[in-house]
């Protein structure tokens, strides 16, 4: 059904043009709308891959301790986070065509002291931003640091990093 959504948009745009009598030169192509939709779809595909990979990890792990849990984030379209041993890796829609990846840990033995910087309580990984770039013929190409990204390798990289960091 998703493969014909662009055709539906063309039909809708043509109907609006016929009804209004005005010619629209951007006929059927709303870049912002496409970008938002594709970003949400990419996040949902990421989540599905992380669910599958985490399930395999949890099944192969002999102990119930240290299993990976995946949570959706309230009031968001497709944001989610991995959670294990107090560590969180958060994937969120930063903006149209931008996905933010952040990793943090809130220590369980942290006792706040007056005047201490709050940053000491939480170790936060630099934010990684995966961005969409327009390619030839309106193709959307997902990139990280201007390099094309393949979903399976991205999942492998971040899940490996998450498991290494959360096992300390």
């Amino acid at each position: 059904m998703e493969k014909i959504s662009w055709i539906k948009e063309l039909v809708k745009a043509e109907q609006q043009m016929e009804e209004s009598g005005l010619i629209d030169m951007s006929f059927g192509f709303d870049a912002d709308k496409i970008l938002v939709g594709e970003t949400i779809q990419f996040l949902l595909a990421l989540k599905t891959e992380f669910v599958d990979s985490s399930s395999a990890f949890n099944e192969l792990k002999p102990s119930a301790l240290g299993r990976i849990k995946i949570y959706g984030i309230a009031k968001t379209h497709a944001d989610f986070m991995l959670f294990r041993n107090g560590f969180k890796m958060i994937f969120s829609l930063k903006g149209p065509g931008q996905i933010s990846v952040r990793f943090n840990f809130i220590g369980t033995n942290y006792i706040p002291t007056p005047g201490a910087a709050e940053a000491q309580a939480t170790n936060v990984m630099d934010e990684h931003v995966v961005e969409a770039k327009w390619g030839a013929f309106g193709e959307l190409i997902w990139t990280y640091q201007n390099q094309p990204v393949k979903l399976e390798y991205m999942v492998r990289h971040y899940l490996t990093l998450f498991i290494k960091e959360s096992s300390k």
Side-chain angles (χ1 to χ4, degrees):
M1 199 65 168
E2 220 176 279
K3 293 188 181 219
I4 66 166
S5 65
W6 65 273
I7 297 172
K8 288 181 182 179
E9 290 296 320
L10 281 174
V11 170
K12 185 178 171 183
E14 184 178 61
Q15 286 174 335
Q16 289 174 348
M17 195 169 64
E18 288 171 355
E19 290 170 2
S20 70
L22 299 173
I23 296 174
D24 183 3
M25 298 308 282
S26 65
F27 183 70
F29 184 77
D30 184 350
D32 291 337
K33 186 176 179 182
I34 290 170
L35 205 51
V36 169
E38 290 289 331
T39 305
I40 291 169
Q41 290 303 314
F42 191 78
L43 261 173
L44 290 171
L46 259 179
K47 184 177 181 180
T48 299
E49 290 296 318
F50 273 110
V51 166
D52 292 346
S53 298
S54 297
S55 294
F57 176 83
N58 290 342
E59 286 176 23
L60 293 170
K61 190 165 175 48
S63 164
L65 292 172
R67 290 199 171 169
I68 300 169
K69 295 177 178 84
I70 298 179
Y71 299 103
I73 299 175
K75 298 181 183 180
T76 62
H77 295 291
D79 300 355
F80 66 96
M81 77 172 175
L82 307 179
F83 182 80
R84 177 178 183 234
N85 299 336
F87 286 79
K88 294 185 284 188
M89 184 173 274
I90 302 164
F91 294 81
S92 60
L93 188 148
K94 183 174 182 162
Q98 294 184 320
I99 295 172
S100 166
V101 182
R102 290 170 297 157
F103 185 81
N104 66 25
F105 171 69
I106 299 174
T108 54
N109 57 359
Y110 172 72
I111 300 171
T113 54
E118 193 171 316
Q120 293 174 345
T122 305
N123 296 324
V124 180
M125 176 178 90
D126 292 338
E127 178 183 42
H128 294 180
V129 178
V130 179
E131 294 183 289
K133 305 277 185 199
W134 290 107
F137 305 110
E139 177 187 13
L140 210 55
I141 301 166
W142 288 96
T143 64
Y144 175 71
Q145 296 180 344
N146 293 319
Q147 296 293 314
V149 170
K150 287 191 178 180
L151 193 72
E152 63 188 89
Y153 292 101
M154 185 177 165
V155 171
R156 182 189 305 178
H157 170 78
Y158 282 116
L159 189 61
T160 301
L161 177 65
F162 179 72
I163 289 168
K164 283 180 181 178
E165 290 298 318
S166 65
S167 66
K168 293 180 181 176

